[in-house]
Amino acid sequence: MQKEKMVSGNQAVKLKQPPLKKRITSYWQLYAMLLIPVVITIIYKYIPMYGIQIAFRDYKASRGMWGSELVGMRWFERFFSSPNCVRMIKNTVLLSFYGLLWSFPIPIVLALMINQLRFMRFKRVVQTVLYAPHFISTMVICGMIRIFLSPSGGLINLIAGTSIDFLTEASAFRTIYIASGIWQDAGWGIIVYMATLSNIDTSHYEAAKIDGASMFQRICFIDIPELVPTIVLMLIMSAGNLMNVGFEKVWLLQTDLNKATSDVIAVYVYQQGIESGKYSYSTAVGLFNTVVNIILLVVVNKIASKISEDVSFV
């Protein structure tokens, strides 16, 4: 392989790279370090893909993979014809979309606000307070939610002077799920943005101050343009998990009375696969969910790339 390096006078100089074998020999330590995550990824991510064919078979554990009858798209047809299919897909999409819509901008706003703090001790205290909820387990979070929303003695009902059992209200489930997710993860989400903002050359701020730029103008014309590539990257990564609603929290907060809005694909896969032992059917539903995620990832990647090219800051 050859690559060109431009030098003064617009003269192109061709530099010949050493062969791959020599590069590996020269930097074998780096390649050895790279080998570990590659092997782990292959073992835990790619080899299990062998089991995807269960979705196209009438899998019986006693017969094994190859002994089970090949049934084609039977399980997919069964899922799409089930009475709750539309409701589950709708709930999964809406819960994920609303979660992304409300929770994605908040870490950005928090990072911009914290970046303006000049008292370092206070700044560290604020960051620690915001990070802390991320380290609380989902089980504990759901227990806290049930206590706060309890109709008898719950903090929310005491403040509002009511006795409503919010977890039995289907209309309140999405708000509870999204609000608790923001509280738990917003602080952790600012880490990437704070790292980006910390790399901005301070001379930009000094020049802006000399020119009379206000704090808001410095945020708009210095901080936000620097954050755009990171925002686009995080948006693409978030879109790749748009259909992956957190199973644990939904499962722990779900009741018979709020299933109209809490019945999602992840919970359905667990019920069919683990509780009912319908391995082929649950694999087919999970595979459908994964395919939708891949499609959304590709579409959002194209849109975000186009937007990042077209956006310009004056």
Side-chain angles (χ1 to χ4, degrees):
M1 293 180 64
Q2 294 179 339
K3 65 178 182 180
E4 296 185 352
K5 180 181 179 182
M6 300 303 298
V7 296
S8 58
N10 296 326
Q11 182 180 2
V13 179
K14 294 183 178 181
L15 300 177
K16 187 177 182 180
Q17 284 189 346
L20 177 61
K21 183 178 179 180
K22 186 175 181 180
R23 295 203 303 272
I24 294 176
T25 304
S26 302
Y27 305 102
W28 66 269
Q29 299 94 336
L30 297 177
Y31 284 96
M33 291 176 61
L34 180 63
L35 185 63
I36 297 173
V38 169
V39 170
I40 292 175
T41 302
I42 292 173
I43 293 174
Y44 291 103
K45 297 295 183 180
Y46 286 92
I47 292 179
M49 289 183 183
Y50 167 81
I52 290 177
Q53 60 180 298
I54 294 176
F56 305 96
R57 295 179 179 273
D58 185 12
Y59 178 73
K60 304 293 182 183
S62 58
R63 299 178 186 175
M65 184 74 71
W66 296 104
S68 301
E69 180 186 358
L70 191 64
V71 296
M73 304 295 290
R74 178 198 295 180
W75 306 119
F76 294 94
E77 294 172 358
R78 178 179 171 181
F79 173 64
F80 292 129
S81 61
S82 64
N84 294 329
C85 174
V86 175
R87 185 179 75 176
M88 286 186 294
I89 295 176
K90 176 185 175 182
N91 288 340
T92 303
V93 171
L94 289 180
L95 204 58
S96 300
F97 176 74
Y98 289 149
L100 182 63
L101 180 65
W102 290 104
S103 64
F104 185 77
I106 290 180
I108 302 172
V109 175
L110 287 175
L112 292 171
M113 293 173 63
I114 294 174
N115 189 55
Q116 300 303 318
L117 298 177
R118 291 296 171 259
F119 297 100
M120 295 305 299
R121 182 174 296 179
F122 179 68
K123 185 175 181 179
R124 285 194 292 267
V125 170
V126 171
Q127 288 178 281
T128 303
V129 171
L130 291 174
Y131 295 161
H134 177 78
F135 298 99
I136 303 175
S137 69
T138 304
M139 178 71 75
V140 175
I141 291 289
C142 292
M144 294 170 63
I145 292 172
R146 287 186 176 275
I147 293 173
F148 291 151
L149 300 179
S150 173
S152 56
L155 179 62
I156 304 301
N157 281 299
L158 288 176
I159 294 174
T162 58
S163 58
I164 303 172
D165 190 353
F166 291 98
L167 289 176
T168 62
E169 300 287 336
S171 59
F173 179 81
R174 289 181 186 137
T175 302
I176 295 170
Y177 180 90
I178 295 168
S180 60
I182 292 173
W183 174 73
Q184 185 177 12
D185 296 322
W188 186 255
I190 71 175
I191 293 177
V192 176
Y193 302 112
M194 289 298 298
T196 303
L197 291 172
S198 65
N199 289 325
I200 299 177
D201 190 350
T202 56
S203 62
H204 297 330
Y205 296 111
E206 294 171 0
K209 289 179 181 178
I210 293 173
D211 291 338
S214 64
M215 179 186 297
F216 181 74
Q217 289 174 323
R218 294 196 297 271
I219 291 175
C220 290
F221 298 107
I222 299 177
D223 292 343
I224 294 180
E226 290 288 343
L227 285 177
V228 167
T230 305
I231 292 172
V232 171
L233 178 61
M234 298 302 293
L235 178 61
I236 293 172
M237 294 175 65
S238 299
N241 292 316
L242 192 61
M243 293 288 287
N244 291 338
V245 177
F247 159 75
E248 296 89 352
K249 188 186 291 185
V250 175
W251 177 253
L252 292 169
L253 294 178
Q254 190 178 72
T255 65
D256 291 335
L257 298 177
N258 65 20
K259 278 193 172 183
T261 54
S262 67
D263 202 8
V264 297
I265 292 177
V267 173
Y268 186 69
V269 169
Y270 173 81
Q271 292 172 335
Q272 297 297 315
I274 304 300
E275 294 184 349
S276 302
K278 299 176 183 178
Y279 304 116
S280 295
Y281 181 56
S282 61
T283 303
V285 178
L287 182 59
F288 161 74
N289 195 51
T290 302
V291 170
V292 174
N293 267 334
I294 294 173
I295 295 173
L296 288 172
L297 178 62
V298 173
V299 171
V300 173
N301 186 23
K302 293 290 185 182
I303 295 174
S305 299
K306 182 64 176 176
I307 292 175
S308 63
E309 291 176 0
D310 293 342
V311 170
S312 61
F313 294 89
V314 180

